[in-house]
Every structure is written in structure tokens, then in C-alpha cells.
Amino acid sequence: MAFESLSDKLQNVFKNLRSKGRLTEADVKASLKEVKMALLEADVNFKVVKQFINSVTERAVGQDVMNSLTPGQMVIKIVNEEMVALMGSETTEIKLNNSNELTVIMMAGLQGAGKTTTSAKIAGKLKAKGRKPLLVACDVYRPAAIKQLQVNGEKQGVPVFSMGDYQNPVDIAKAAIEHAKSNDLNVVILDTAGRLHVDETMMEELANIQKAIKVDQTIFVVDAMTGQDAVNVAKSFNEQIELDGVILTKMDGDTRGGAALSIRAVTGKPILYVGMGEKLSDLEQFYPDRMASRILG
Ligand code: GDP
């Protein structure tokens, strides 16, 4: 189960806090030190942890908290609020143009992150909202990626545009846009190629697409199980091909929580959705407050 160890540890800290009638500054600081350790063990980026603990400490050691009737509860409430803030507070949607105007979404990420699957999941969501999406196979390197997109597109009842694996992704994207316009489709979702590691050719390819066509939303797909690595990869993508939002996949696995808690603070970009399984319906909107409640138990 995701966050199990982090949740268990935090709940222990909170149980101790609740059991005390009065709290001294030393009590609060000792508890926050335990919170800090639990976050670091959950693979949260250390700078993010430091900033987080500073913000909580600043609010939690004041007289208002210490003299309140339930100081333990107050500290817990502050941890909760700061955690929600860390993940962006608000729920953010993929920004779409008006239905009569084409919206181009480019999916980016490393190989195996879940781009192809997530592209089809998003297409399904957009279709359910009354949009007319087109899935586009720009991943011309990974064997079977085109077929996978076609199979998933069919399951979603969404058309898939492909030109085989000999064409340049920029040309495919351009042709797909023409195809969408002449077929009354209003959202183009480009499933691009990933690599096993951040690599210059991949970044150039994505940057070239952004230069050649008007991409409205660049969405970074990343495997939550990879923890801090996910955050580092997000950072380097964001530096090279500015991102609009992030989708964390495989949140149904036993991720420790590091990526969910750090990615927003490190990149400044919101988490839009979380992938909760391999089925095409397993994509959930991201709610920072619900995620914090899940983590804090
Ligand atoms: P791509 O290389 O980035 O296009 O990645 P794929 O879409 O092919 O996904 C890689 C693997 O991860 C596939 O086996 C997917 O079924 C799986 N996958 C994608 N998203 C999720 C998710 O949210 N949860 C789980 N458990 N598996 C996922």
C-alpha cells in the first residue's frame, strides 16, 4: 500500500502529541524531528523537508499553540495544512481551449513511466466531457508503442493517428493537427517517445515539437515509485521543455510518498492527476487535501 510506512510513523508521532496535555517547545521540536525523519525516509527531497519543517516549526512553537486547550491537535492541524500547501493547495485541471478551437497536449516522460497508457486514460476523460480527442503516435522508437496506443484508443472509442515508425515526430504532429482539423476533432494528444534516462536527443525532439507547432499543454508523466529520482527527472524536463503539469503514475503501488510530496515544491508545477492502476479508468484527479489526509491517516 502506498505511504504505509510514512503514515504509520506520522500516526505514532501524532499519538504521542495528542496524549500530552501541555506541550513545551522542546516537545514540539522533538516531535517535528520525528516528522522530519519520517519524511526523509519516505524519500522526500531534503530541501523540501527542511523548508517544510521550518514552516511548521515557525507556526507551531508560538504561545498561541502552546497555551491552547489542545496543543497536540493544533500541531497536527498545522502539519496537515502545510502538507496541503506543499502539494499546491488547489486542484488544477488540464487547461483546454474552447471546444471550437484545437487544444494540443504533449505527453512527455521517460520510457516506462506510463505515457502511452496515460494518454489513453486522458483521452477517455476528455471524451466523457464531450471533447473529441485524437491520440497521436509520436513514439516511433519503442517497439509496439504504436500498436499499444491503437489498442488503447480502440478501448476508449477514440481515434488514433499514426504514420508508422519511419517518420519524424514533428511531421507526425503536424499531419495529426491537419487530420484533427479536417475531421472535426478538438483535442490532439501527442504520445511522444521516452528514453530510459534523461537524454539530449529526447529533449531535442520534444523541444522541436514545441517549436514547430503550438503546444498548449506539456504534461510530464512520471512513475511515483521512483521517488526522488522522479523529482530530479521532472526538474530537468521542466528546465528544458517547460512543463504545465505533472501526472504521477503507479500510485496504486507501494510508493513511499516522496514524489507526491516533493514534485510541486521542486518544479513549481501542479500535479494534475494520479494513475491508480493499469486499467484505462484508473486515473484520478489530484486533490492535495485528500492526499494529505491519506498520508496523515
Ligand atoms: P510509456 O513507455 O511511458 O509509454 O509507458 P506505458 O504506458 O507503456 O506504461 C508502462 C507500464 O506501466 C505498463 O505496463 C502500464 O500498464 C503500467 N502503468 C501505467 N500507469 C500505471 C498505473 O497508474 N498503475 C500501474 N500499476 N501500472 C501502470
Side-chain angles (χ1 to χ4, degrees), residues 110-118 121 139 142 148 191 249-252 275-278 282:
L110 295 183
Q111 189 172 315
K115 276 183 307 303
T116 304
T117 313
T118 308
K121 287 177 174 178
D139 182 351
R142 186 162 64 88
Q148 189 190 343
D191 178 28
T249 62
K250 311 185 194 181
M251 287 285 276
D252 50 313
M276 296 298 295
E278 295 193 81
D282 295 333

Side-chain angles (χ1 to χ4, degrees), residues 64-95:
D64 285 357
V65 173
M66 246 69 97
N67 294 336
S68 74
L69 285 176
T70 51
Q73 289 291 5
M74 294 276 282
V75 175
I76 295 164
K77 186 163 168 274
I78 293 169
V79 171
N80 186 322
E81 286 170 4
E82 290 296 326
M83 198 172 266
V84 175
L86 190 63
M87 290 186 285
S89 299
E90 304 280 310
T91 295
T92 311
E93 301 267 358
I94 296 178
K95 286 192 189 68

Side-chain angles (χ1 to χ4, degrees), residues 151-173:
V151 168
N152 286 339
E154 196 161 315
K155 279 190 200 157
Q156 300 289 58
V158 169
V160 175
F161 183 88
S162 107
M163 289 166 69
D165 52 7
Y166 295 111
Q167 302 286 332
N168 179 314
V170 169
D171 294 335
I172 300 175

